Amino acid sequence: MIELEAINRNFEVGEETVHALRDINLNIDAGEYISIMGPSGSGKSTLLNILGLLDQPNSGIYRFNGKAINQLAEDEQAQVRRENIGFVFQFFHLIPRLSAADNVALPLTLAGVEPDIRQQKTAAAMDALGIAERAQHRPDQLSGGQRQRVAIARAMITEPQLILADEPTGNLDRSSGSDVIEALEALNQKGITLIMVTHDPELGGRAMRRLKMDDGKIIGDHQS
Amino acid sequence: MIELEAINRNFEVGEETVHALRDINLNIDAGEYISIMGPSGSGKSTLLNILGLLDQPNSGIYRFNGKAINQLAEDEQAQVRRENIGFVFQFFHLIPRLSAADNVALPLTLAGVEPDIRQQKTAAAMDALGIAERAQHRPDQLSGGQRQRVAIARAMITEPQLILADEPTGNLDRSSGSDVIEALEALNQKGITLIMVTHDPELGGRAMRRLKMDDGKIIGDHQS
Ligand SMILES: Nc1ncnc2c1ncn2[C@@H]1O[C@H](COP(=O)(O)OP(=O)(O)OP(=O)(O)O)[C@@H](O)[C@H]1O
Ligand SMILES: Nc1ncnc2c1ncn2[C@@H]1O[C@H](COP(=O)(O)OP(=O)(O)OP(=O)(O)O)[C@@H](O)[C@H]1O
Ligand SMILES: [Mg+2]
Ligand SMILES: [Mg+2]
C-alpha cells in the first residue's frame, strides 16, 4: 500500500541544514498496525507528515497504492489525502470557531455526507471517546485531553483507508487513553491501516510491527 | 505558602454551567513537591491556572504568602506572578517570532537581568534539557518535545519560588523526560515549591505528596 524509497527531508535554518529524514526506505501493507517510537527530535512527526501527504520529501519516491504520489499536482495530492487518510496531529489543529461536534464532522461535511447521517456518526464517535457531553464547546472551552479526543474522532469519522496518529494519548489518563486505543484498534480490525507515533512503550508494544527511529533514520523494524 | 479556601470556578457555555472546580480547600507549604493526577477534564489545568494567578475563582479566597491575592488589582497580581511563579503550560504558549533561546530568556529580560548573565543562564538551562543545538530555531522549527522543553526551561530560568508544570513530559521520550524531571527536582531540592500535573503514574508517584482530582474536586491527598 505504501512504499517509501530513499526519502530525504531537510530543513534550512539560517546557515544550517537539519537532516530530519535520512534515506528512509519503508514498505507498508494494507491493514498493518505499526507503532513508531524514538527520541524527541528523531523525525517521527516529519515521517508521519510525509506519509500523510502534508509535507514533501526533498528527494526519493512515495508510492501510495502503486502510484508515485509525491509527484502529483498539489490538488491531486489533496484529493488523495481527503479520500484516504485520517490524521491525528501532535497538536490537534482544531478549527477554533467550530464546536467540537462540527470539528469532528468536518471530513463528512467535506465529503458531502447528508446532515442526519453526519449527526449520527458524529454522536457515535464522540460517545465512544467520552466527549459527547462537550459537543457544543469550542476548542478553547475544552480541556487538553478533550481537544485531543476531538482530533482523534475527526481522524476516524470517515473510516479512511489509512489513519496516522501522532502521539494520540499524550494528554490522556489511563482510562481515556484506552478508550482511544480500543477505538483505533477496532478500525484496524476492520482492515484500516494504522500507524501510531508514541512515546509510551506499553502502547507501542501493542502494535504488530514496531519501528524505531533515531536521528532521521529507521534503526529498528520488528514484528511482534 | 499557599492557602485555597472554598474555591469555586465555573464556566458558562450557552445555557450550561460547567463546575470546573467545586469547593476546593488546599494548603501548601513552601518547598513541597506535589503531583496532581486525575481523569481528563477533572479540573487539573483549571486548578493550576488559579494557583498561577492566570485565572480568577468565582468564589473563595487564595492566600499567597499570607496575602489574599485574588483580591488584588490585576497589575499587582501580574507583578506577584512575574516575581514568584514559573509556569509550564500544557500547550506551551511560546512566542512564535522569538527564537527558542529568546523564549527561554524572556523572564530574565523582563526582570532586567544583563545580557551576558542572561546568555549564560539560558545556555545552561537549554544544555540541561538537551536543546542547546536548537537555540536559534523558532517554535515552528522545533519538534513537539523540543517546544515542550523550551517551555520548561523558560519556567525554571529565574528559579522562581513556585513552579507549576502542566503535564511537562507529555511529548517526551523516557530519556528526555527524565532530564526534565531531574532538573525540576533539583530546583525543589533547593527549596523551590514544585506542583506538577501529570497523567504518568510513575512520575506522579515521585512526588512527596499526591493529590487526586475528579469532577472538580480533590478526592485524595496522600503523603509518600
Ligand atoms: N520546520 C522546521 N524547520 C527546521 N527544523 C525542523 C522543522 N521541523 C522539525 N525540525 C527539526 O527536525 C527534527 C525532527 O523533527 P520532528 O518533529 O519530526 O521530531 P519528532 O521525532 O516528532 O520529535 P518529538 O518526539 O519531540 O515530537 C527535529 O530536530 C526538529 O528540530
Ligand atoms: N473556557 C472554558 N469554558 C468552558 N468549559 C471549560 C473551559 N475550560 C475548561 N472547561 C471545562 O472544565 C473542565 C475542566 O477542564 P481542565 O482543563 O481543568 O481539565 P484537566 O483536568 O486539565 O483535563 P486534561 O487532563 O484533559 O488536560 C473540563 O470538563 C472542560 O471541558
Ligand atoms: Mg513529534
Ligand atoms: Mg489539562
Side-chain angles (χ1 to χ4, degrees):
Chain A
M1 178 192 192
I2 288 173
E3 294 169 56
L4 297 184
E5 189 182 313
I7 293 287
N8 287 278
R9 180 66 174 108
N10 303 324
F11 295 111
E12 312 294 329
V13 181
E15 296 292 316
E16 173 208 0
T17 300
V18 177
H19 299 283
L21 295 178
R22 308 166 188 261
D23 195 40
I24 298 282
N25 296 288
L26 182 61
N27 291 347
I28 295 170
D29 297 329
E32 286 204 66
Y33 175 7
I34 298 177
S35 65
I36 303 175
M37 298 189 68
S40 170
S42 56
K44 305 179 298 298
S45 293
T46 304
L47 176 57
L48 225 63
N49 289 340
I50 287 187
L51 287 170
L53 296 172
L54 296 162
D55 189 21
Q56 300 300 317
N58 292 81
S59 62
I61 300 176
Y62 175 12
R63 284 187 199 86
F64 189 81
N65 290 330
K67 202 171 188 183
I69 203 111
N70 59 311
Q71 291 159 0
L72 296 179
E74 266 222 50
D75 57 333
E76 286 176 287
Q77 289 196 33
Q79 182 177 0
V80 172
R81 187 169 69 235
R82 221 172 29 245
E83 292 178 359
N84 295 286
I85 301 172
F87 205 111
V88 186
F89 295 93
Q90 192 166 0
F91 299 110
F92 320 153
H93 299 315
L94 302 181
I95 311 237
R97 55 185 173 68
L98 294 184
S99 68
D102 287 344
N103 266 283
V104 172
L106 193 55
L108 294 172
T109 311
L110 294 175
V113 173
E114 311 87 62
D116 50 348
I117 309 247
R118 279 195 331 241
Q119 196 278 326
Q120 189 184 313
K121 287 180 177 275
T122 297
M126 295 186 81
D127 214 52
L129 298 185
I131 48 171
E133 278 192 1
R134 292 287 178 264
Q136 297 315 314
H137 286 228
R138 289 185 322 266
D140 64 304
Q141 297 171 318
L142 295 173
S143 79
Q146 289 165 347
R147 287 177 212 168
Q148 187 153 39
R149 285 177 279 165
V150 171
I152 292 158
R154 178 180 66 181
M156 302 187 337
I157 200 79
T158 57
E159 300 199 0
Q161 203 183 130
L162 171 66
I163 292 181
L164 304 169
D166 200 343
E167 306 201 26
T169 62
N171 288 282
L172 298 176
D173 55 284
R174 187 123 306 255
S175 165
S176 307
S178 63
D179 291 344
V180 161
I181 298 316
E182 256 183 61
L184 291 170
E185 292 182 352
L187 290 181
N188 176 248
Q189 294 294 331
K190 290 164 78 167
I192 288 172
T193 308
L194 176 58
I195 303 175
M196 193 183 306
V197 168
T198 183
H199 281 306
D200 182 345
E202 244 191 78
L203 178 51
R206 296 175 66 90
M208 293 184 301
R209 180 180 173 193
R210 284 155 294 138
L211 302 179
K212 286 236 178 315
M213 289 192 71
D214 196 14
D215 200 24
K217 289 189 161 291
I218 295 174
I219 60 166
D221 188 343
H222 301 285
Q223 302 288 335
S224 283
Chain B
M1 176 192 195
I2 288 173
E3 294 170 55
L4 296 184
E5 190 182 311
I7 293 286
N8 286 277
R9 180 66 174 108
N10 303 324
F11 295 109
E12 312 295 327
V13 180
E15 296 291 316
E16 174 209 359
T17 300
V18 177
H19 299 283
L21 295 178
R22 307 167 188 259
D23 194 40
I24 298 281
N25 296 288
L26 182 61
N27 290 347
I28 296 170
D29 297 328
E32 285 203 67
Y33 175 8
I34 298 176
S35 65
I36 303 175
M37 298 190 68
S40 171
S42 56
K44 307 177 297 297
S45 294
T46 303
L47 176 57
L48 225 64
N49 289 339
I50 287 188
L51 286 170
L53 295 173
L54 296 162
D55 190 20
Q56 300 299 316
N58 291 80
S59 62
I61 302 176
Y62 176 12
R63 284 187 200 87
F64 188 82
N65 290 330
K67 204 172 186 181
I69 203 110
N70 59 312
Q71 292 158 2
L72 296 181
E74 267 223 48
D75 57 334
E76 285 177 287
Q77 289 195 32
Q79 182 176 3
V80 173
R81 187 169 66 236
R82 218 170 34 242
E83 291 178 1
N84 296 286
I85 300 171
F87 204 111
V88 186
F89 295 92
Q90 192 166 0
F91 300 109
F92 323 151
H93 298 315
L94 302 180
I95 310 231
R97 56 188 172 68
L98 295 184
S99 68
D102 287 343
N103 265 284
V104 173
L106 193 55
L108 295 172
T109 311
L110 294 174
V113 173
E114 311 87 59
D116 50 348
I117 309 248
R118 277 195 334 242
Q119 196 277 327
Q120 191 184 315
K121 286 181 178 276
T122 298
M126 295 185 81
D127 213 53
L129 298 184
I131 48 171
E133 279 191 1
R134 293 287 180 264
Q136 297 315 315
H137 286 227
R138 289 185 321 267
D140 66 303
Q141 297 171 318
L142 295 173
S143 80
Q146 289 165 349
R147 286 177 211 168
Q148 187 153 39
R149 285 176 279 165
V150 171
I152 292 159
R154 179 181 64 181
M156 302 187 338
I157 200 79
T158 57
E159 298 199 2
Q161 204 183 127
L162 169 65
I163 292 180
L164 304 167
D166 201 343
E167 305 201 24
T169 62
N171 288 282
L172 297 176
D173 55 283
R174 186 124 305 255
S175 165
S176 308
S178 63
D179 291 343
V180 161
I181 298 316
E182 256 184 61
L184 289 170
E185 291 181 352
L187 290 181
N188 176 248
Q189 295 293 331
K190 290 163 77 166
I192 288 171
T193 309
L194 177 58
I195 303 175
M196 192 183 306
V197 169
T198 185
H199 280 306
D200 181 346
E202 244 191 78
L203 178 50
R206 296 175 67 90
M208 293 183 301
R209 180 178 172 193
R210 282 157 294 137
L211 302 179
K212 285 238 179 314
M213 289 191 71
D214 196 13
D215 200 23
K217 289 191 160 290
I218 294 173
I219 61 167
D221 187 343
H222 301 285
Q223 302 287 337
S224 283

